[in-house]
Amino acid sequence: MSTATIQVRMNSALKQETEAALKSMGLSMSTAIHLFCRQVVNQGRIPFEIVAPNLPNAVTRKAMD
């Protein structure tokens, strides 16, 4: 199978945070992106829920109540 190269632009701080998180999981950025793409193909959708970051999560909502 041949391979292709992709290029992604992102904030350098986000890249560093992402690489650190992935490293703690034993994954490289390349492997994580490959996993993401495989799941998009397998599931036919984005493989996670996309939510607005400013909405309170369940813990915050409970504390607010």
Side-chain angles (χ1 to χ4, degrees):
M1 171 172 43
S2 65
T3 61
T5 301
I6 62 170
Q7 191 172 34
V8 177
R9 294 190 186 278
M10 71 173 63
N11 176 288
S12 60
L14 176 60
K15 180 179 182 276
Q16 290 175 350
E17 291 176 32
T18 303
E19 287 175 327
L22 291 170
K23 183 177 181 182
S24 74
M25 296 177 225
L27 298 170
S28 68
M29 183 75 81
S30 179
T31 299
I33 292 170
H34 181 88
L35 289 169
F36 169 77
C37 293
R38 176 54 51 208
Q39 289 305 306
V40 168
V41 170
N42 289 348
Q43 297 180 29
R45 64 181 185 90
I46 300 294
F48 48 82
E49 183 180 5
I50 300 173
V51 295
N54 60 350
L55 298 176
N57 64 25
V59 173
T60 303
R61 279 191 295 254
K62 185 175 180 180
M64 291 168 55
D65 289 339

